[in-house]
Amino acid sequence: MARVSQEHLDARRRQIIDGAALCFARNGFHATSMQDVLKEVGLSAGAVYRYFRGKDELIAAIVSEVLAEISGVFEAAARQSPPPPPDVLVGRVLSEVLDLRPGMREGARSSFPRLMIQVWTETLRDQHLSALMAGVYARVRAAWVAIVEGYQKAGMMRADIPADHVARTMIAAAQGFAAQYALFDEVPVEALQDGVRALMSMGEPS
């Protein structure tokens, strides 16, 4: 019975976090009230406050989860051996990011990139979350540095450019795509893949 009871508690907590994440993705952390969250998840205030003492605690839980999910995708990509070409690798990573949290889809469009932007903004005002973000970014960067070093050893990429600089640029391309997806109309993953492929081909005969 205890196991079933814990499963129920975990499922209810998941329901609250998922519903709140969708609210925050739509309207931002600070324009969203706890009343909005209660309406989204269809629970009483007492039921929600059993798990989270307030909105700040709920925000912290969501930020922590989002950062963990994103870092998991990036680090898993870094473990591929041998790694696919950069355009293929970046495309796979972004496709997986868009598939995170299927419940955050509105039609065919993922709301997850909108939540990512809210998370980035929140880390600018919260010292604890900022430190968490810095740690996650350091792990992701280290993983992608290893990928770039693999490309360089295989002769797929110039070896005279610091691997860390290339890794930062690849991560920036993925972050920029997420921002474009959240802020503007449909941006297909293939557009970034094509762009990376074209940049890789500079200097090659047409």
Side-chain angles (χ1 to χ4, degrees):
M1 289 297 294
R3 185 178 66 85
V4 173
S5 177
Q6 186 60 49
E7 287 177 355
H8 172 77
L9 293 173
D10 291 344
R12 181 55 56 86
R13 186 177 188 276
R14 179 83 265 145
Q15 177 187 355
I16 295 167
I17 288 179
D18 288 347
L22 192 54
C23 287
F24 293 144
R26 290 190 194 118
N27 301 312
F29 286 120
H30 300 288
T32 299
S33 67
M34 284 301 287
Q35 193 61 40
D36 295 328
V37 174
L38 297 178
K39 183 178 179 181
E40 182 71 32
V41 300
L43 296 173
S44 68
V48 172
Y49 285 115
R50 178 179 183 180
Y51 297 87
F52 301 99
R53 288 175 293 183
K55 193 169 77 168
D56 285 347
E57 193 170 292
L58 184 54
I59 290 172
I62 289 174
V63 170
S64 297
E65 279 200 1
V66 167
L67 293 178
E69 289 168 344
I70 294 172
S71 67
V73 170
F74 275 75
E75 289 176 314
R79 290 193 293 269
Q80 296 181 49
S81 182
D87 57 318
V88 176
L89 182 65
V90 170
R92 286 182 186 174
V93 167
L94 291 175
S95 294
E96 290 186 30
V97 167
L98 294 180
D99 286 339
L100 289 172
R101 302 200 179 203
M104 293 193 68
R105 286 195 169 273
E106 296 184 311
R109 187 175 180 82
S110 171
S111 294
F112 192 77
R114 290 179 61 90
L115 183 62
M116 288 171 61
I117 289 181
Q118 301 296 339
V119 165
W120 295 339
T121 302
E122 191 64 17
T123 61
L124 296 176
R125 62 174 292 276
D126 186 304
Q127 188 173 4
H128 170 71
L129 297 178
S130 178
L132 181 63
M133 168 74 94
V136 168
Y137 180 71
R139 292 199 307 273
V140 170
R141 197 176 82 236
W144 281 55
V145 164
I147 288 178
V148 174
E149 289 173 343
Y151 289 148
Q152 292 174 332
K153 289 177 182 177
M156 298 170 61
M157 190 174 285
R158 286 176 54 172
D160 60 330
I161 304 295
D164 179 65
H165 295 184
V166 182
R168 287 175 182 269
T169 301
M170 292 175 68
I171 294 169
Q175 291 173 322
F177 172 86
Q180 287 189 43
Y181 189 100
L183 295 171
F184 308 116
D185 292 332
E186 283 291 326
V187 183
V189 171
E190 291 77 15
L192 182 61
Q193 286 185 293
D194 287 344
V196 172
R197 192 177 304 118
L199 291 172
M200 289 167 57
S201 70
M202 290 185 67
E204 295 179 3
S206 58

